[in-house]
Each structure stands twice: as C-alpha cells, then as structure tokens.
Amino acid sequence: MKYSHYVISLTKEKHTFLFNTKNNLAIKVDNCLFDKIKNDSNTKQQFYRFLEVKQFLPENNELEQAIKLFTERDESTLRIIILAHGDCNFRCKYCYEKFVDCTIESQKSGILEFVKNKLKQHRFKELHVSWFGGEPLLGYREILDISQKLITLSSKFGVQYHSDMTTNGYLLNSRTLSRLITECCIQYYQITVDGTKKGHDNQRVLKNGQGSYDRILKNLNNARKLNLKFHILIRLNASVENYADVEKFLVTDARCFENDKRFQFLFRNVGDWGCGDRKEGYEVKRFEEDVSFELSKKAIKLGYNLFDDLLFRSNYYSCYAQKEHTYTIDTKGNILKCTVALYDDENKIGELNNFSIDEHKQELWVNSYKFSPKCLECQLLLICKGGACPKRDIFNERSFDEKCKRMQQNIIQNFELAILSNKVNYELKVE
C-alpha cells in the first residue's frame, strides 16, 4: 500500500500507527485489519476510501499545498515577545543572560506604536504577546498596563488576542495569576521545576543564594485550586547532578498535577546556552547524550500529560524566530529575533525609536520554505521545514548532517511518545 510521501508509518506488534504530517492526524490500525483487507474487497475499499478522505494517500501538489498553508499561517499572526524586565531574582547555574535592573516602562509608548503600525500595515488575524525576561514578573505593573492597552488595540483592529509568559514562578501567587489571566488574557505559562527540592535548589538559586523550590511548589499548588482556565507547562531541565531528583519528583511532589489537564510536562537536557553573567565554575555538569526521551517515557507511564508529543510531531512545529512577523523587544528598545542570542549583533534587526528593520538581517532568520534536494526527499520535511533553529545556521553551530540527524531523531521520538500515550485521532479495528 502506498501512502502519501508525508505519512509516517510505524509498525508495532499488534498495531500500525500512521502519522499524517500534512494535517497532523494520527490513525491506529489493528494489524489484523491488513490481513482482512487482502481477502475482503469490501473492507479494502472502505479502508482506502477512509484514507483518501483523511488525506493519507498521495495527492497532487502536496508540498506546494503545505507551503501555502504554512505561509498563510505565518502571515496571519503578529507575535511580539516583550522582555518585561532586565533583571532576575534568580541566579540559575545554567543561565545565559546578562542582567540589568530596568523595566520595559520607558519603551511602553514605542511598543504600542510599533504594534499599531504593524496592525495597520498588514491584515493579521491574531496578535500573540509573549512575556519574557530576566524575570518578567519583576515588571508586573508594566505587564498589567501594556497588556490592557494591547487588548484594547486588538479589539480596535478586530484581531484575536492571545498571550503567554515564561516565568520562574516565584512571584506567581494566586492573586497575581488570577489578575494575569482575567485582566491580561495570559493563559499559557512555562515554569521550570528541576526535580525535587534537593535537585531544584542546587540549580535554580535565588539571587541571595537561597533555594526557590518551596515557594514555587506552593504557588503551583495554589494555582491548582483556582477555578480558572489556564495552562501551565512545567519544564524540567536535567543535568548529571539532578537526574535522580527529576525521577524522584515524578513519584513524589509531582503527583498532585497528574490528573489536572491544565498542567503538562516538558523534559530537556541542560544545554550549553552561554555563560551570561555567571562566573567560571558556577554551573552544573551536562549530559553528552539526550536523556529527555527516557524521562518523557517514564512520565507517560506514570500518567502525566506531556507537551512534546502534541506539538513536536505536528507541522505547527517551528521556531518563532523563523517567522517574519515575530519580533522580540528588550528593555533598551532593541528589536531582536531570538531570545537566546540576546547579545549577538546578528540578532538585532532594528530599534523601536524609528521602527526601522534591517531587511538583510531579517532575511537571515526567516524561513523562506526553499529546501535543499536532500530535504525534499525527506518524509519529515513538513515538520522540520528544513531546520528548526536558524540560530544554529547563522552562527554555524552544527553541520547540516548533524542538524538533520538530531532533528530526525527528535521527531521520531515524539511519534513514539504519542504511541506510548495512545494519542491518536482514529482507531481502526477488525469487526
């Protein structure tokens, strides 16, 4: 049977799983059904018809149609990432940032005017605002003020408003969270918990040298008690030093989040993200091999909801910096693309004070959906899109082959996680 080039087929002992990267649908097929199809023309016809309707069979101009979809999706959303504060109340042992004690207050009018101009120039359907830092909640008052003005602006231009925040969670008490959700429409949060108290407090240290675990867990538990709609992604960064503590966390304190679908888990290796303001030796020991896949499998078996197996196996997967209409604004009014390469000149594409954009630098980051011959042959192209991280290409951090190998491994692993968690759209059995 010939499926579309962009359908991934993974056969297990009793079932075959089909993942359609054109439309992100997944089908679980009883292997006995394939035996019946060989001898039953009616069943075969029904099966083929089902696959045809769901676009699992080859179609004309599949890649062109996918690129059109991606382009329309990119064109429909204006995303603004705002570094609400230049300082942080933490001094994590793997942090890549350099800190300065200032808020986004002085850039408020520039941000509003910049967004207003963009909404005038282009017919967007959505405005998505992401709050970042330093620690964004050090700029809490500015977040409240700017958010409410952006919501008003969105309403004026008839665009939908969405917002998320990456925060360490230390200042996110119930009252603050409630106001951010109800007044600022910030419904999505990423908060890092690096294992149990021992493992977390070793890596995520307060500015005064104390641990942060107890306060964050208290805030997360209080969030569970709120009768509000939100999503919290709990990120766990694994190092050689805290790996056992991450495993222990899953069978101890994390249990309270197991049955609350508002909470999801994300596992990552501690990476070499840069030194920032960290002194030499103030760090943790990193793994050379990926350990996040094994941790993810353990979490699924324990009943937790994962983030990876939903997003990172779909054609929605892409780096925000690759998108033309995504801009990062720091506390000095610089317009950037990437929130990791904060201090590299190639990352600065403009300034708020004159709204000028360096088109040459912008083009370095944006995915134009022009693919190499090797990419065109790959079944995973509609997810990878030729490479997920433009930063790695701009700064020559990895060779093409190394980048390709890692991407393929990452995507296939996420298909495996989806199988393990039985996240499929349809299940076909023998009657």
Side-chain angles (χ1 to χ4, degrees):
M1 180 178 300
K2 185 177 181 180
Y3 304 114
S4 163
H5 180 66
Y6 302 107
V7 168
I8 312 303
S9 176
L10 298 178
T11 301
K12 302 300 178 182
E13 183 179 354
K14 296 182 179 180
H15 300 92
T16 294
F17 293 82
L18 303 176
F19 295 95
N20 189 343
T21 65
K22 293 186 293 183
N23 56 18
N24 304 318
L25 293 178
I27 302 176
K28 179 180 180 180
V29 184
D30 191 327
N31 285 336
C32 294
L33 181 60
F34 291 110
D35 295 329
K36 186 176 181 180
I37 286 172
K38 293 177 183 178
N39 303 306
D40 187 334
S41 60
N42 186 49
T43 301
K44 180 178 180 179
Q45 186 177 15
Q46 289 179 347
F47 181 59
Y48 269 82
R49 178 57 181 160
F50 178 82
L51 294 181
E52 183 180 30
V53 170
K54 303 302 180 185
Q55 297 180 284
F56 279 74
L57 300 182
E59 299 175 299
N60 294 327
N61 304 316
E62 290 180 301
L63 180 58
E64 290 81 359
Q65 290 300 316
I67 292 174
K68 181 182 177 183
L69 173 68
F70 302 155
T71 303
E72 290 175 351
R73 189 188 295 164
D74 293 347
E75 290 288 317
S76 69
T77 301
L78 172 62
R79 184 176 182 185
I80 305 295
I81 304 171
I82 303 173
L83 277 59
H85 204 285
D87 202 359
C88 184
N89 48 345
F90 282 28
R91 288 298 183 266
C92 299
K93 290 185 177 179
Y94 47 66
C95 185
Y96 59 86
E97 293 200 36
K98 301 175 183 179
F99 300 110
V100 56
D101 186 13
C102 64
T103 71
I104 199 70
E105 169 66 26
S106 63
Q107 308 303 329
K108 181 171 61 177
S109 60
I111 291 171
L112 296 173
E113 196 62 28
F114 180 76
V115 172
K116 183 178 179 179
N117 285 342
K118 289 297 176 183
L119 293 176
K120 282 182 177 180
Q121 294 168 5
H122 192 89
R123 185 170 292 181
F124 293 106
K125 294 179 180 179
E126 299 180 355
L127 171 60
H128 191 116
V129 176
S130 299
W131 296 99
F132 202 69
E135 167 50 40
L137 288 178
L138 293 177
Y140 175 57
R141 293 183 182 278
E142 287 74 23
I143 292 172
L144 292 176
D145 186 25
I146 295 173
S147 292
Q148 289 162 14
K149 287 181 169 58
L150 288 174
I151 291 169
T152 300
L153 197 59
S154 296
S155 178
K156 178 181 177 181
F157 282 89
V159 301
Q160 295 181 351
Y161 185 87
H162 307 281
S163 188
D164 67 81
M165 176 181 289
T166 300
T167 169
N168 57 41
Y170 195 80
L171 301 174
L172 195 65
N173 57 47
S174 294
R175 183 174 182 274
T176 297
L177 178 59
S178 296
R179 290 194 70 184
L180 291 174
I181 295 170
T182 58
E183 298 177 28
C184 303
C185 299
I186 305 175
Q187 292 189 322
Y188 296 87
Y189 300 82
Q190 180 177 158
I191 298 171
T192 297
V193 182
D194 283 350
T196 59
K197 179 178 174 64
K198 176 186 174 184
H200 175 96
D201 283 349
N202 176 58
Q203 295 187 172
R204 298 189 65 77
V205 186
L206 285 169
K207 197 174 181 179
N208 62 12
Q210 301 299 308
S212 59
Y213 182 84
D214 291 337
R215 177 82 166 266
I216 295 172
L217 259 289
K218 179 182 178 181
N219 287 341
L220 288 172
N221 276 299
N222 286 337
R224 284 194 307 116
K225 301 171 186 176
L226 295 176
N227 186 26
L228 292 171
K229 184 179 179 181
F230 63 84
H231 298 276
I232 292 180
L233 174 61
I234 297 177
R235 174 168 175 150
L236 298 101
N237 294 312
S239 68
V240 173
E241 296 169 27
N242 81 326
Y243 185 89
D245 297 289
V246 171
E247 290 185 306
K248 186 177 179 181
F249 176 72
L250 294 175
V251 296
T252 53
D253 289 349
R255 281 298 189 188
C256 61
F257 307 111
E258 182 181 351
N259 297 315
D260 193 329
K261 292 184 178 180
R262 295 176 298 179
F263 293 85
Q264 294 177 310
F265 286 73
L266 172 70
F267 299 90
R268 287 290 182 267
N269 280 42
V270 170
D272 184 9
W273 299 310
C275 191
D277 276 345
R278 288 187 289 117
K279 296 179 180 178
E280 186 176 349
Y282 186 73
E283 57 191 2
V284 291
K285 188 174 182 181
R286 292 178 284 111
F287 283 105
E288 292 185 5
E289 72 280 3
D290 175 58
V291 298
S292 62
F293 181 52
E294 291 302 318
L295 288 170
S296 296
K297 290 195 292 185
K298 290 176 182 179
I300 289 174
K301 290 177 180 178
L302 288 168
Y304 293 105
N305 297 308
L306 257 63
F307 178 74
D308 267 355
D309 64 328
L310 290 174
L311 178 63
F312 293 102
R313 63 177 173 86
S314 81
N315 62 38
Y316 280 93
Y317 177 74
S318 65
C319 172
Y320 57 86
Q322 286 183 325
K323 300 178 184 299
E324 179 182 358
H325 302 296
T326 293
Y327 305 95
T328 297
I329 300 172
D330 68 13
T331 55
K332 296 179 181 179
N334 294 313
I335 301 174
L336 317 171
K337 291 299 289 183
C338 176
T339 58
V340 177
L342 292 173
Y343 315 108
D344 295 290
D345 184 63
E346 290 86 349
N347 189 32
K348 180 181 174 181
I349 64 167
E351 297 179 352
L352 269 187
N353 60 12
N354 55 19
F355 302 154
S356 63
I357 299 294
D358 187 323
E359 296 299 336
H360 174 69
K361 286 185 178 180
Q362 167 87 320
E363 288 175 5
L364 293 176
W365 293 90
V366 174
N367 191 335
S368 61
Y369 301 119
K370 295 178 182 177
F371 306 115
S372 69
K374 185 174 182 180
C375 288
L376 290 173
E377 296 174 1
C378 182
Q379 282 188 285
L380 303 176
L381 175 60
L382 303 190
I383 298 177
C384 174
K385 302 179 183 69
C389 179
K391 171 179 173 289
R392 293 169 184 161
D393 294 330
I394 293 170
F395 299 105
N396 299 312
E397 294 177 351
R398 292 178 185 168
S399 67
F400 178 88
D401 288 341
E402 182 184 15
K403 179 180 68 173
C404 181
K405 182 179 179 181
R406 291 196 182 193
M407 279 296 298
Q408 289 183 349
Q409 180 186 47
N410 180 47
I411 294 170
I412 294 299
Q413 284 178 345
N414 283 301
F415 286 140
E416 295 288 351
L417 293 178
I419 292 172
L420 188 60
S421 58
N422 200 35
K423 289 181 178 176
V424 296
N425 303 97
Y426 304 98
E427 187 168 353
L428 305 182
K429 302 178 182 180
V430 175
E431 295 181 353

